[in-house]
Amino acid sequence: MDYNFTYNFPAVRGIQANREYYVAMCPLKLIPKIFLFDEEEIPPEFRAQRLLNKHRIPEITRYILENPNDYVFSSITASVDGEMRFVPYDDKNNKNIGRLVINMDARFLINDGQHRRAAIEEAININPDLGNETISVVFFHDQGLRRSQQLFADLNKHAVTSTKSIGILYDWRDELSIITKEIIQSNDLLRILTDMENSSLSKFSPKIFTLSAIYTTNKHLVSLKKESRISEDTKNFLKRFWDILTQSIKEWQLVFNKQMTAHMLRANYLCSYSIVLEAIGMIGYELRMNNHKKWGNVIKSLEKIDWSRSNDFLWLHRAYNKNGRINKNQHSIKLTKNQIKIQLGLPLTQEEEQLECEFLKKGF
């Protein structure tokens, strides 16, 4: 190997499945230059990775640029098709710590991390100073298309996406996430009855809300535009809204006071399901935007609504289907919102009236 035409990376050597692999530190500015993508026109059976989803790249790029002091990336995994040699610093005591020497004619193929690579390229174009920072890269010897495809499959097969609630719980950048957690901790009922980790509740869960459902309801309540900040006035509104709401739904109070189990509530009533929470959130936003001075009294009136799952006249084909299964789509949320507004004596918008007419024409 000609050392005048090589890449040299400080690296650590390891063994997996009786094969050597290497973990190296690679400058970000080098990432776009050495790593290639398969061409889009190549059929999937002849590619070693999925097509790039270009819609994901701006979000990842923004994440790097907006958090220059605390962004974090997991390793890129790549196969090297060409000459590659590991040179230990010390053959006796540190034989697995050394330099990874790769011929410049070698072809690098990303097995995992193509979206990170594209985002890094865009971020460096905007802020060249990032180019001197590094990312860890796991290098494997390329052993042909079949092996590269298997690497991609194995790396992604066992990846488990975290729940939406966990993402919100651990997110200290998103202002609405922070406010939602503060509201839950300051409200006794929410603090006790909210599952902070899971985004769906098991049949016999003692909780009646999920963190993700409350967060989504808050998104409807404030209807923030991108990059907008949440004012103190809005924060106070959210806290007061939940204080009034939790006092107004008598079925929640029964669970809080241990007069009803959470399982019984979910089995017999709709009021803790996200479809209802989101609909209420939309109504709360409209009340605030319309400067409804007695919006608190309107929310208190929710206690008069019959949330029974057996009340087909109010909720069938809106909140649940004929088999009793809860509907969870935007159309159903809007129909549920219509019914809640009707029960509260609130006027429907022109769009809502049209939706209601279409619903009634179906003979429901």
Side-chain angles (χ1 to χ4, degrees):
M1 188 182 294
D2 188 343
Y3 283 91
N4 291 321
F5 300 98
T6 60
Y7 294 107
N8 283 258
F9 302 102
V12 176
R13 176 171 54 185
I15 301 288
Q16 281 186 7
N18 297 314
R19 295 186 179 94
E20 284 192 5
Y21 71 98
Y22 313 96
V23 181
M25 297 299 110
C26 186
L28 294 186
K29 61 187 175 186
L30 196 58
I31 295 295
K33 297 178 181 178
I34 66 174
F35 291 112
L36 304 174
F37 296 121
D38 285 326
E39 296 296 328
E40 292 189 9
E41 61 266 20
I42 299 176
E45 62 269 26
F46 296 115
R47 294 198 308 263
Q49 54 189 253
R50 58 192 161 202
L51 288 178
L52 195 69
N53 182 348
K54 294 181 180 179
H55 296 293
R56 289 182 57 194
I57 298 169
E59 182 180 354
I60 303 173
T61 303
R62 210 162 38 243
Y63 164 70
I64 303 171
L65 295 172
E66 291 178 358
N67 303 282
N69 296 318
D70 61 354
Y71 75 91
V72 61
F73 274 149
S74 56
S75 299
I76 289 175
T77 303
S79 297
V80 179
D81 181 8
E83 290 186 68
M84 178 168 62
R85 185 162 67 111
F86 182 77
V87 182
Y89 288 135
D90 183 341
D91 284 327
K92 294 182 179 180
N93 299 317
N94 294 302
K95 62 181 180 179
N96 290 321
I97 301 174
R99 289 182 298 116
L100 183 63
V101 184
I102 305 175
N103 194 303
M104 280 191 176
D105 291 333
R107 182 171 180 265
F108 297 81
L109 177 66
I110 292 180
N111 302 110
D112 182 63
Q114 64 264 45
H115 293 93
R116 272 163 278 162
R117 178 252 183 232
I120 286 169
E121 182 174 17
E122 285 200 8
I124 291 173
N125 287 337
I126 298 170
N127 181 5
D129 291 341
L130 291 167
N132 294 320
E133 299 194 1
T134 59
I135 186 171
S136 58
V137 180
V138 181
F139 289 104
F140 290 89
H141 283 283
D142 186 281
Q143 295 180 326
L145 177 63
R146 185 169 179 174
R147 173 61 182 164
S148 292
Q149 289 177 335
Q150 190 63 57
L151 268 176
F152 177 86
D154 289 346
L155 287 167
N156 288 277
K157 183 184 299 183
H158 303 294
V160 179
T161 304
S162 62
T163 66
K164 185 178 178 182
S165 286
I166 280 287
I168 296 166
L169 181 64
Y170 294 164
D171 191 343
W172 296 100
R173 290 195 181 97
D174 178 33
E175 199 173 7
L176 191 60
S177 293
I178 296 170
I179 294 165
T180 299
K181 288 177 282 191
E182 288 175 353
I183 288 170
I184 291 171
Q185 292 306 313
S186 67
N187 184 299
D188 290 341
L189 186 144
L190 293 178
R191 186 176 66 254
I192 292 171
L193 297 178
T194 301
D195 189 317
M196 302 292 284
E197 182 173 359
N198 298 297
S199 292
S200 60
L201 299 173
S202 62
K203 184 177 181 180
F204 293 104
S205 171
K207 310 295 185 179
I208 62 176
F209 311 108
T210 63
L211 172 58
S212 58
I214 295 175
Y215 175 85
T216 303
T217 302
N218 283 341
K219 284 185 74 173
H220 289 302
L221 279 165
V222 299
S223 191
L224 277 182
K225 294 180 180 178
K226 215 163 193 180
E227 311 301 332
S228 295
R229 302 285 299 176
I230 301 176
S231 67
E232 285 301 317
D233 184 56
T234 299
K235 293 177 185 178
N236 293 332
F237 164 73
L238 286 172
K239 186 178 185 306
R240 187 175 171 218
F241 179 89
W242 283 102
D243 285 343
I244 294 172
L245 181 61
T246 51
Q247 291 295 323
S248 302
I249 307 291
K250 57 182 179 293
E251 290 83 2
W252 297 355
Q253 290 292 325
L254 289 173
V255 177
F256 180 66
N257 293 319
K258 302 187 184 305
Q259 296 170 286
M260 180 192 297
T261 66
H263 168 64
M264 289 176 62
L265 174 69
R266 289 191 297 275
N268 296 295
Y269 300 95
L270 295 166
C271 49
S272 67
Y273 284 92
S274 59
I275 186 172
V276 170
L277 292 177
E278 290 187 41
I280 292 173
M282 292 176 181
I283 293 170
Y285 171 75
E286 290 178 3
L287 290 172
R288 186 166 183 247
M289 288 300 101
N290 293 331
N291 294 314
H292 199 298
K293 294 181 180 179
K294 296 184 178 180
W295 67 263
N297 291 334
V298 176
I299 298 303
K300 288 178 183 177
S301 298
L302 289 167
E303 66 182 356
K304 300 175 183 177
I305 295 179
D306 181 1
W307 300 107
S308 302
R309 292 183 65 163
S310 59
N311 192 334
D312 291 349
F313 177 76
L314 292 185
W315 309 117
L316 181 61
H317 299 301
R318 294 179 189 264
Y320 57 82
N321 60 28
K322 63 181 180 180
N323 297 318
R325 184 179 294 275
I326 300 294
N327 296 329
K328 189 60 174 73
N329 54 63
Q330 287 302 309
H331 183 70
S332 296
I333 292 172
K334 289 178 180 178
L335 285 171
T336 301
K337 175 192 172 189
N338 276 8
Q339 185 62 273
I340 295 173
K341 289 183 75 172
I342 292 168
Q343 295 301 306
L344 293 174
L346 297 173
L348 301 182
T349 65
Q350 186 175 351
E351 181 184 344
E352 289 168 344
E353 286 181 351
Q354 183 178 348
L355 179 65
E356 199 64 19
C357 287
E358 292 172 358
F359 176 77
L360 295 174
K361 281 180 182 177
K362 292 179 181 178
F364 294 148

